[in-house]
Amino acid sequence: MTQSHWTSRRARVVAVGVGAGLLIPVLAAATPAAAATPTVSCTSAKAGLAAKLKKDITAALANRKGTVAVGLYDRTTKTTCTLRATSAYDSASTVKVTVLATLLWDAKKHNRTLTTRESTLAKAMITKSDNTATSTLWKQLGLTKIKGFLSAAGMTQTKPGANNYWGLTQETVTDEQKLLKLVTAKNTVLSDNSRAYILKLMNQVISSQRWGTPSGAPSGVTVHVKNGWLQRSTHGWRVHSLGTFNGGGHDYMMSVLTQDNSTMSYGITTIQGVAKAIHKDLA
């Protein structure tokens, strides 16, 4: 065997751990099998709806670059759709809903209402996506309380950002949907007043930040939204949108998380394509 043959062969040999520290060289496959592309999965109590949603969400994403995760839950028709439900994304500003929920959960535990200062910070954080207000509340709460709320909410896939980098919290569609379910129906984690307060602020988000999941929402529904956007050197733009839609016989919520977008507006367009398909099918 020539030196060059041996070198190329040796390059394909990887060590595999077996038992306690024993290393056995095995030949790796020359080309790893391509991972299967995740597909949209839907279930519904309403005949034909799951198939229609799967088809329309898939079509909305057909020619879009980027990596997209989708969660939909409609209480009225008992419909659920998911795509990359457990993939983790940097939260950017969508974590602000979790911060507000933690603040209210903790206040309830201590049988108190929010102070005027806390209310002012909360309103700026949600309606204007104010980062300074968020940092103030994040530091006030601390990781112990934030993790306490995540545990109470069953949001086991969410990992808070370290060193006060709340925007680098790792979140999944599964957990964001759990959060939106808590905000929109009676439960033991958040009081009715707390839920109403969160929804009120999400309904008052300034017009320039009302893009994303509200796109194409039917008339007669009340829209509650919180978006997030962040550019990093890896995976380009993260652009996310959480929305809940209630009224006129409707009660549904969706989370769309995206990354690997070339620009912020590209990510927004992707999210709005998915949202329009969902609203149309549920309306």
Side-chain angles (χ1 to χ4, degrees):
M1 187 184 290
T2 66
Q3 177 64 33
S4 62
H5 275 103
W6 164 241
T7 303
S8 64
R9 182 176 182 274
R10 188 173 56 181
R12 295 198 301 272
V13 174
V14 293
V16 176
V18 182
L22 181 63
L23 287 174
I24 301 174
V26 297
L27 274 175
T31 51
T37 306
T39 56
V40 179
S41 170
C42 297
T43 61
S44 180
K46 184 176 177 182
L49 183 57
K52 185 159 178 47
L53 279 162
K54 177 184 168 75
K55 175 174 166 282
D56 292 347
I57 295 169
T58 301
L61 292 170
N63 298 308
R64 304 302 293 173
K65 294 184 176 71
T67 310
V68 184
V70 179
L72 165 70
Y73 178 60
D74 176 28
R75 282 194 182 92
T76 313
T77 57
K78 295 185 172 54
T79 300
T80 302
C81 289
T82 57
L83 172 65
R84 293 189 181 90
T86 58
S87 295
Y89 290 74
D90 292 330
S91 67
S93 290
T94 53
V95 77
K96 291 168 183 177
V97 181
T98 298
V99 175
L100 178 55
T102 303
L103 180 68
L104 293 162
W105 170 78
D106 184 63
K108 176 190 165 197
K109 283 199 344 185
H110 294 91
N111 200 27
R112 70 173 184 87
T113 56
L114 297 191
T115 65
T116 304
R117 171 184 161 278
E118 287 170 335
S119 298
T120 302
L121 290 168
K123 183 171 184 178
M125 174 173 71
I126 301 296
T127 65
K128 296 188 289 193
S129 210
D130 187 292
N131 291 338
T132 306
T134 309
S135 293
T136 301
L137 289 171
W138 182 272
K139 285 174 189 168
Q140 175 186 314
L141 289 164
L143 285 180
T144 301
K145 287 179 180 178
I146 291 162
K147 287 177 179 175
F149 168 76
L150 292 171
S151 177
M155 295 168 67
T156 56
Q157 297 173 2
T158 304
K159 306 286 180 274
N163 305 317
N164 294 317
Y165 287 117
W166 45 260
L168 299 185
T169 294
Q170 297 299 292
E171 69 182 20
T172 67
V173 150
T174 295
D175 275 9
E176 293 309 291
Q177 288 293 98
K178 282 181 180 178
L179 178 62
L180 295 181
K181 284 179 186 178
L182 280 179
V183 172
T184 53
K186 200 177 217 13
N187 60 84
T188 56
V189 181
L190 295 170
S191 70
D192 291 351
N193 284 343
S194 295
R195 296 190 303 102
Y197 183 63
I198 295 170
L199 290 169
K200 180 181 88 167
L201 294 185
M202 289 176 71
N203 179 243
Q204 293 174 354
V205 165
I206 58 174
S207 59
S208 61
Q209 293 180 16
R210 294 180 75 80
W211 46 262
T213 50
S215 187
S219 59
V221 303
T222 305
V223 173
H224 315 90
V225 65
K226 184 68 197 84
N227 296 326
W229 55 98
L230 172 69
Q231 184 185 26
R232 297 185 73 191
S233 56
T234 56
H235 296 296
W237 279 91
R238 292 98 169 108
V239 188
H240 313 318
S241 185
L242 312 177
T244 82
F245 309 90
N246 311 82
H250 292 289
D251 181 3
Y252 59 98
M253 63 217 69
M254 68 176 102
S255 305
V256 188
L257 310 180
T258 77
Q259 64 183 22
D260 302 302
N261 296 293
S262 52
T263 63
M264 179 177 166
S265 70
Y266 188 89
I268 291 174
T269 302
T270 298
I271 293 169
Q272 294 189 165
V274 172
K276 283 172 187 170
I278 289 171
H279 290 304
K280 178 173 66 72
D281 289 351
L282 291 182

